[in-house]
Amino acid sequence: MELVEIRKAYNLLAEIGEYIKTQCEILPLPNECNITRIDLTKDIYVGDVVDYIIKQLNKSFTGFRCKPNYIDCKENATFTKHSSKSSTKIFELSFYDKYEEMKHHIDSGNYHYDEDMLNQAKGILRVEFRFYKTRIQGMKKNGNIKSTEELLNLLSINSEDIINKNLSQLYLKGAFYKLDRIKMKIETGRFHTKTKHKMLEFIRLSVLHKSSKTAAEYFIREYSETELKKVMEKFKEIGIIPTPISVRQKFEEWSFM
């Protein structure tokens, strides 16, 4: 089941229940079913730099269990514009150009959108989390949730908080900055000298290889995986995603929040 818009869960379940009854009387009603997949989305206006932001996200280190995979334009690709997709056994995270995705659906004959809807999608970066059974069971346990209706109500109210929390767990809490700003924030941070040195070394590697994902691999060779985790937590403390914005870009910073 996909939660496609925020509305009262009982209305959604009632509509689904009525449809099920018209198909087969012996099928279970929605509240008697277990949800095995939920999609949550967040739209962020970024203007004409959607593709660049996606490339930045794809180059960003998010942890060893969730590695982005850059998807180029292909005839059979899900989205016609550049997209980034990361996955684990419990969730899948995608970033894509909403306008291009809508055009793709129109071209494939799956959906129809009017001109106003298409225009409103221009410049929108869509963040999409697809949660699977293990994560959904965790949500239910943590929230002491007993029914499908309770779960959908929770998601409809807290969807943005859930997305932000999961982005944070992937070292994507904070903002992208240009190199000078990053160095300044590190130097003025309340860290030990050795910690600052390691943070600056990570940034040097990120600039050198144009990727904090690659920088993480080199950093581990020089230090260790444990030291990498410590450094990434320090970046989170001062609100930095350690993949510097190119000096050629007109904007100085960008974040999900």
Side-chain angles (χ1 to χ4, degrees):
M1 183 184 295
E2 181 178 351
L3 189 65
V4 293
E5 62 183 32
I6 296 177
R7 53 176 164 163
K8 291 290 185 181
Y10 60 79
N11 289 338
L12 180 61
L13 294 175
E15 291 178 23
I16 296 171
E18 288 300 317
Y19 176 76
I20 289 174
K21 288 179 183 178
T22 65
Q23 302 302 307
C24 181
E25 292 184 358
I26 64 172
L27 287 174
L29 293 175
N31 246 333
E32 300 168 349
C33 299
N34 288 322
I35 296 178
T36 57
R37 194 191 105 190
I38 291 172
D39 296 355
L40 296 180
T41 63
K42 177 177 180 176
D43 290 346
I44 306 170
Y45 180 76
V46 298
D48 59 359
V49 293
V50 177
D51 193 39
Y52 179 78
I53 294 294
I54 291 172
K55 288 179 179 179
Q56 280 289 98
L57 289 164
N58 188 69
K59 294 187 296 183
S60 296
F61 176 74
T62 54
F64 297 103
R65 295 182 180 180
C66 183
K67 296 184 178 180
N69 177 32
Y70 189 64
I71 304 170
D72 279 315
C73 297
K74 294 180 181 177
E75 185 177 347
N76 296 322
T78 305
F79 312 118
T80 57
K81 201 68 175 173
H82 292 138
S83 306
S84 180
K85 182 178 291 185
S86 309
S87 61
T88 70
K89 292 181 179 179
I90 59 175
F91 73 85
E92 186 174 277
L93 169 62
S94 299
F95 304 102
Y96 54 87
D97 184 322
K98 185 178 179 181
Y99 174 75
E100 293 293 336
E101 184 244 3
M102 290 174 70
K103 282 178 57 182
H104 173 68
H105 282 313
I106 291 173
D107 294 340
S108 63
N110 294 332
Y111 296 94
H112 171 73
Y113 301 103
D114 60 38
E115 200 66 29
D116 286 342
M117 292 177 69
L118 273 176
N119 288 333
Q120 289 172 15
K122 289 180 178 178
I124 296 292
L125 170 73
R126 169 157 282 189
V127 181
E128 180 177 304
F129 266 108
R130 181 172 292 177
F131 296 112
Y132 296 113
K133 187 175 181 179
T134 302
R135 178 58 62 86
I136 294 170
Q137 292 300 323
M139 290 179 185
K140 291 172 71 175
K141 183 178 180 180
N142 292 336
N144 194 28
I145 292 170
K146 305 299 183 183
S147 69
T148 299
E149 182 178 330
E150 286 181 280
L151 177 62
L152 294 183
N153 272 328
L154 171 74
L155 294 169
S156 69
I157 295 168
N158 299 321
S159 61
E160 185 162 348
D161 289 341
I162 293 170
I163 289 173
N164 290 339
K165 180 180 178 181
N166 280 272
L167 288 172
S168 173
Q169 290 172 346
L170 296 173
Y171 300 122
L172 292 173
K173 181 180 181 179
F176 291 101
Y177 296 100
K178 289 189 175 178
L179 181 59
D180 289 346
R181 180 80 176 276
I182 292 175
K183 287 182 175 179
M184 183 271 290
K185 286 176 76 70
I186 293 172
E187 293 290 358
T188 57
R190 294 182 178 181
F191 305 123
H192 294 301
T193 302
K194 287 184 178 180
T195 300
K196 289 182 179 181
H197 172 77
K198 290 173 184 177
M199 294 172 76
L200 290 169
E201 174 61 12
F202 187 91
I203 294 299
R204 184 190 71 81
L205 290 169
S206 186
V207 171
L208 177 64
H209 299 287
K210 299 180 180 180
S211 163
S212 62
K213 188 168 59 174
T214 305
E217 297 171 2
Y218 281 91
F219 189 90
I220 289 171
R221 293 179 196 176
E222 186 174 350
Y223 297 99
S224 68
E225 186 174 322
T226 300
E227 287 301 315
L228 173 64
K229 290 178 180 178
K230 289 179 181 178
V231 165
M232 294 304 293
E233 289 302 314
K234 297 302 180 184
F235 282 124
K236 282 175 68 173
E237 282 183 27
I238 56 175
I240 288 177
I241 301 174
T243 311
I245 297 169
S246 168
V247 294
R248 293 190 293 272
Q249 294 297 322
K250 294 179 181 179
F251 63 99
E252 297 293 324
E253 64 180 82
W254 184 84
S255 74
F256 290 103
M257 310 307 171

